[in-house]
Amino acid sequence: MTNTVIILAAGKGTRMNSRLPKVLQPLAGQSLLSHVLGTVRQLGQQVSLGTPIVVYGHGGKEVQASCAGQPLEWVEQAEQKGTGHAVQMVLPVLPQDGVSLILSGDVPLMGVGTLQRLMDAASSGMAMLSVRLENPTGYGRIVRDAAGQIQRIVEQKDASDAEKQISEINPGVYCVANALLHRLLPRLSNNNAQGEYYLTDIIGMAVAEGIVIGSASPDHEFEIEGVNDKAQLAQLERRWQRHQVDQLLKQGVTVIDPARLDIRGRVTVGKDVLLDVNVILEGECQLGDGVEIGAGSILRNVQLGAGTQVKPYTLMEDVRIGQNAEIGPFARLRPDTVLADETRIGNFVEVKKSTLGTGSKVNHLAYIGDAVIGSQVNVGAGTITCNYDGANKHQTTIEDQAFIGSNSSLVAPIHIGAGATVGAGSVVTKNVPEHQLAIARGQQRNTANFTRPVKNK
Ligand code: UD1
Ligand code: CA
């Protein structure tokens, strides 16, 4: 049987005080909504889920554009009349059988394991998450009877003083049989303190029908945390970062300062990886055994082989590097750079869409773009591949064991043969055959008895 996921994302998020719709605010480099969708995707690998349904309202176009290409069903809630009203909007497209998992677009860090347990708890037809909080203020409270069975939910604004003392809260995540949603939702009223149609009221209604409400607890408290303003967003960001760092520490990573490492994506690590302060890892990063990342480095979608060292303040994106390479400090590796084992990229070197063979070195102040460089090549300081003629990009090829003298300009398309040497300061516009020396610079003239001009008095 296929189940349904409903994501409520119509709220305005006024308290964010931002032009961006609330569910598009970024947490760990990804929008709140895309965190939720990522979790749903993972859950879909364990249980059968239909195309997720997103209830949208404010900023609908922008929210939809942010999810372009993802299989989603969009249901509009033009006016925000409450969470119950939001799910009512889904009824016309909701199957009669199966269950619905109801999530909030502004609760980004819900865990897959927690959701699975919630679904398992819904055999009676309805289950909700539940958690006890030291400070339950603001949340709906879970009212249980003497036998400990869930009776109903009361919102903060509707709660009596005694009910406000209840510390068990409703995180707003439910699993409900679709048949129940079809039967109960049309009967909601908005006769309450906020004049809204409360989704939470279906719990009391189901209990009245004799249904026992199941419940499950989250693995971590941060999973149920919603984001309503920038302060909560910042706080949740820190909590999530700390949680991710803790996972790395458990895997044996040395993190010099857990408060100064940010992970905006996923990291896989080998043994004895070291991450210095103010490192940012984005997208998918794979760090092999013994990799060390120096202070202030930012790495996005990288694969680093065992023993590779990244010195401080290095920037790299979409890069694959072999073993025992040494990169930086102050290097910039741009997309589609592939560096073999034991390569060396030094300070103030930019590499783009290029490959370097084993042991090749570009140590100082160079630009390598659209180049294929063989193994054991030495590229001298200040060398530039002139890859762009103002209209098109052209390729530079440098074969094994070539030596490019300092401050050379290699005007592409160009081919430097194996073992060839380019004299320092050359502007190379013609191919260099293997093992030959190319010098392309003005000849030096020395003038004897030269007197320097003197300053006029
Ligand atoms: C809701 C629960 C409350 C719970 C809390 C957990 C109700 C009545 N109350 O309260 O018991 O403790 O969540 O965070 O459900 N939304 C819509 N359309 C609407 C209203 C809301 O799509 O008309 C969406 C919001 O975008 C948000 C989610 O539903 O993603 C929850 O709405 P929100 O207003 O934050 O819920 P609360 O009133 O805080
Ligand atoms: Ca509300």
Side-chain angles (χ1 to χ4, degrees):
M1 188 168 33
T2 297
N3 300 303
T4 306
V5 176
I6 300 171
I7 301 165
L8 303 185
K12 202 191 296 196
T14 316
R15 282 175 285 167
M16 280 290 170
N17 198 6
S18 166
R19 192 197 52 75
L20 206 60
K22 171 152 88 168
V23 292
L24 295 189
Q25 299 288 335
L27 180 97
Q30 231 184 296
S31 76
L32 299 180
L33 181 59
S34 89
H35 279 281
V36 177
L37 294 175
T39 306
V40 169
R41 248 194 318 275
Q42 276 183 57
L43 183 67
Q45 289 163 7
Q46 328 271 330
V47 297
S48 152
L49 298 176
T51 307
I53 299 170
V54 183
V55 181
Y56 72 99
H58 285 278
K61 282 223 171 62
E62 230 176 312
V63 176
Q64 285 177 347
S66 80
C67 302
Q70 298 188 51
L72 294 173
E73 192 163 347
W74 297 89
V75 169
E76 186 177 11
Q77 183 195 25
E79 245 188 294
Q80 280 70 61
K81 298 184 195 170
T83 49
H85 181 254
V87 185
Q88 280 173 355
M89 300 297 101
V90 177
L91 290 179
V93 299
L94 192 70
Q96 294 293 331
D97 60 356
V99 298
S100 280
L101 203 52
I102 303 176
L103 309 173
S104 284
D106 61 355
V107 181
L109 298 179
M110 191 58 58
V112 174
T114 299
L115 291 179
Q116 267 180 311
R117 282 203 312 285
L118 176 66
M119 293 183 86
D120 293 343
S123 55
S124 69
M126 197 182 293
M128 59 184 296
L129 283 187
S130 130
V131 69
R132 287 185 187 281
L133 294 184
E134 231 166 86
N135 177 11
T137 310
Y139 286 98
R141 311 296 208 282
I142 299 178
V143 180
R144 294 185 185 254
D145 66 10
Q149 299 292 349
I150 294 176
Q151 291 298 293
R152 61 192 169 87
I153 309 300
V154 59
E155 291 304 295
Q156 167 91 21
K157 289 191 174 132
D158 299 290
S160 66
D161 285 344
E163 285 163 343
K164 281 183 187 146
Q165 299 305 310
I166 299 172
S167 65
E168 188 182 14
I169 63 102
N170 168 30
V173 178
Y174 321 86
C175 180
V176 187
N178 290 336
L180 272 178
L181 290 174
H182 278 291
R183 192 158 80 241
L184 301 179
L185 281 175
R187 289 167 30 200
L188 286 180
S189 93
N190 64 350
N191 183 16
N192 53 51
Q194 303 185 80
E196 288 184 0
Y197 295 90
Y198 290 167
L199 177 60
T200 44
D201 284 351
I202 64 170
I203 286 159
M205 291 160 84
V207 170
E209 287 193 1
I211 292 168
V212 176
I213 311 295
S215 66
S217 306
D219 290 317
H220 309 275
E221 204 175 289
F222 62 73
E223 289 181 43
I224 60 112
E225 254 171 70
V227 175
N228 294 305
D229 56 31
K230 292 286 169 103
Q232 287 174 340
L233 185 65
Q235 189 184 329
L236 192 57
E237 174 82 36
R238 284 343 302 163
R239 281 206 188 193
W240 177 236
Q241 291 303 340
R242 182 64 220 217
H243 173 74
Q244 295 184 109
V245 170
D246 287 344
Q247 303 307 106
L248 290 181
L249 293 173
K250 276 184 202 154
Q251 294 171 68
V253 175
T254 300
V255 178
I256 299 299
D257 181 356
R260 285 185 288 168
L261 168 63
D262 281 64
I263 298 166
R264 303 174 184 160
R266 247 199 314 247
V267 184
T268 51
V269 291
K271 288 250 170 295
D272 297 306
V273 166
L274 183 145
L275 304 173
D276 209 334
V277 300
N278 295 331
V279 166
I280 301 178
L281 302 174
E282 302 183 332
E284 298 276 338
C285 293
Q286 291 178 35
L287 311 179
D289 292 347
V291 162
E292 297 188 358
I293 313 291
S297 294
I298 303 175
L299 279 59
R300 180 182 184 80
N301 298 328
V302 304
Q303 210 179 308
L304 306 187
T308 285
Q309 310 260 319
V310 177
K311 307 280 178 186
Y313 302 103
T314 291
L315 208 62
M316 49 173 100
E317 180 175 359
D318 298 330
V319 166
R320 229 171 57 225
I321 304 178
Q323 305 190 354
N324 300 316
E326 219 180 292
I327 314 298
F330 299 101
R332 176 161 185 222
L333 305 185
R334 291 169 52 199
D336 300 322
T337 292
V338 179
L339 308 179
D341 297 348
E342 280 147 42
T343 44
R344 174 83 179 88
I345 301 291
N347 41 217
F348 310 108
V349 172
E350 175 179 345
V351 183
K352 186 215 79 170
K353 209 175 187 177
S354 295
T355 64
L356 254 75
T358 307
S360 287
K361 294 178 180 151
V362 188
N363 268 329
H364 329 267
L365 301 150
Y367 171 62
I368 303 296
D370 303 296
V372 176
I373 298 179
S375 61
Q376 311 298 337
V377 169
N378 195 309
V379 176
T383 296
I384 305 286
T385 54
C386 307
N387 61 327
Y388 185 53
D389 60 14
N392 296 298
K393 302 274 166 65
H394 302 282
Q395 192 83 16
T396 297
T397 315
I398 305 175
E399 305 287 355
D400 297 351
Q401 288 169 349
F403 180 95
I404 312 298
S406 294
N407 204 29
S408 294
S409 301
L410 307 177
V411 181
I414 193 108
H415 179 270
I416 312 291
T421 303
V422 171
S426 292
V427 177
V428 184
T429 54
K430 288 187 290 211
N431 291 346
V432 183
E434 58 181 25
H435 301 295
Q436 293 194 11
L437 166 68
I439 299 180
R441 62 183 180 224
Q443 288 234 343
Q444 181 169 339
R445 275 184 306 133
N446 293 345
T447 302
N449 304 322
F450 172 71
T451 40
R452 281 200 231 165
V454 287
K455 206 173 173 121
N456 293 331
K457 286 270 158 60

